[in-house]
Amino acid sequence: MTQTAQADIVEIENLTLNFGGLAAVSEVSLRIGHGELVGLIGPNGAGKTTLFNLLTGVYAPSSGTITFRSGDSTHQLGGMKPHAICRRGIARTFQNIRLFKDLTVLDNVKVALQQNVPYGLLSAVLHTPTHQRAEARIREESHELLTIMGLDGKASELARNLSYGEQRHLEIARALATRPTLLLLDEPAAGMNPAETARLTELITWLRQTFDLTILLIEHDMSLVMKICERIYVLDHGVAIASGSPAEVRSNPKVIEAYLGEEVEDV
């Protein structure tokens, strides 16, 4: 791996979310160092996406803490609204793609960049020089992100007309447009063929290096997880049952029983 983990950027302590009498996440603790690429795996219904929803403010925890460090600032995220968490440097993609399907590819990215604009409503209405310069920068940066994701030639197309793989790439571009320090990827290889998955694996590694990202990755494709993740956490029924390096997780009896099965040796 290309980067050495530094100070923890995320600390989750005894995080719990109850839905009535059901504990969707139960006393989960994990840490992610700056610059790490960490995997989160487990069977369907294990609580992986729920954990992402807690990290991004979709749900407020029933108990436990989420500490996020961005630059010189430390934030307690429990109960914070999603837009506020995004502004502090956490972005995500979704297991089920959530694009603005009736907007162009370019406008999907421009929307994400709007949170950083240096002008107010009056400047936008009056089209002041400040507004015009900012809009020019937003357009330029949007095209740069689309070029990185191989989509610049389709900037004027509606998002709904992209192929499935292209929509996945657009969702990543939109997440990057928020200028995150922590990127959460929820099953980015879902629905992709082996060639597309191989390209995505290279892309994730490159994005991490180029944008100095910390990445937490949910994925069922074990070849991808074992290849690029430095550490892996395993959830089962909302409980963290194991953590460690890919080799340690791959040989953990609890993980084999709950999720990987005997075929893990062939990964």
Side-chain angles (χ1 to χ4, degrees), residues 38-39 229-234 242-250 252:
V38 177
C229 292
E230 295 162 323
R231 293 191 301 115
I232 299 170
Y233 286 92
V234 187
S243 64
S245 68
E248 291 169 337
V249 167
R250 189 167 53 197
N252 187 301

Side-chain angles (χ1 to χ4, degrees), residues 13-29:
E13 297 289 344
N14 299 318
L15 194 65
T16 297
L17 176 64
N18 296 315
F19 292 116
L22 174 67
V25 171
S26 180
E27 297 187 352
V28 169
S29 297

Side-chain angles (χ1 to χ4, degrees), residues 118-136:
Y119 59 81
L121 178 61
L122 184 60
S123 292
V125 171
L126 298 177
H127 296 284
T128 64
T130 298
H131 167 264
Q132 294 175 26
R133 287 192 297 268
E135 285 297 308

Side-chain angles (χ1 to χ4, degrees), residues 110-259:
K110 288 175 64 178
V111 165
L113 283 164
Q114 290 295 325
Q115 71 167 356
N116 299 308
V117 296
Y119 59 81
L121 178 61
L122 184 60
S123 292
V125 171
L126 298 177
H127 296 284
T128 64
T130 298
H131 167 264
Q132 294 175 26
R133 287 192 297 268
E135 285 297 308
R137 285 197 298 271
I138 287 172
R139 188 176 185 86
E140 180 181 3
E141 187 171 342
S142 296
H143 276 291
E144 289 174 355
L145 288 170
L146 291 177
T147 298
I148 287 170
M149 303 305 297
L151 295 172
D152 194 46
K154 300 194 174 184
S156 61
E157 292 191 22
L158 294 180
R160 68 170 59 255
N161 294 332
L162 296 181
S163 69
Y164 182 85
E166 289 170 338
Q167 289 187 24
R168 283 281 179 197
H169 282 197
L170 178 57
E171 195 173 37
I172 294 174
R174 190 177 62 182
L176 291 173
T178 66
R179 301 170 184 168
T181 54
L182 173 63
L183 179 61
L184 310 178
L185 300 175
D186 194 347
E187 295 196 36
M192 291 187 175
N193 61 42
E196 290 172 329
T197 299
R199 289 194 293 271
L200 177 68
T201 301
E202 294 177 358
L203 177 64
I204 291 172
T205 301
W206 184 85
L207 291 174
R208 175 197 180 196
Q209 297 169 343
T210 303
F211 290 89
D212 189 26
L213 291 170
T214 302
I215 297 176
L216 180 60
L217 169 77
I218 293 175
E219 186 52 66
H220 285 291
D221 189 318
M222 288 298 100
S223 63
L224 187 157
V225 172
M226 296 295 173
K227 183 174 182 179
I228 66 175
C229 292
E230 295 162 323
R231 293 191 301 115
I232 299 170
Y233 286 92
V234 187
L235 295 186
D236 186 34
H237 294 95
V239 177
I241 62 170
S243 64
S245 68
E248 291 169 337
V249 167
R250 189 167 53 197
S251 60
N252 187 301
K254 290 183 179 180
V255 179
I256 294 172
E257 179 182 0
Y259 183 50

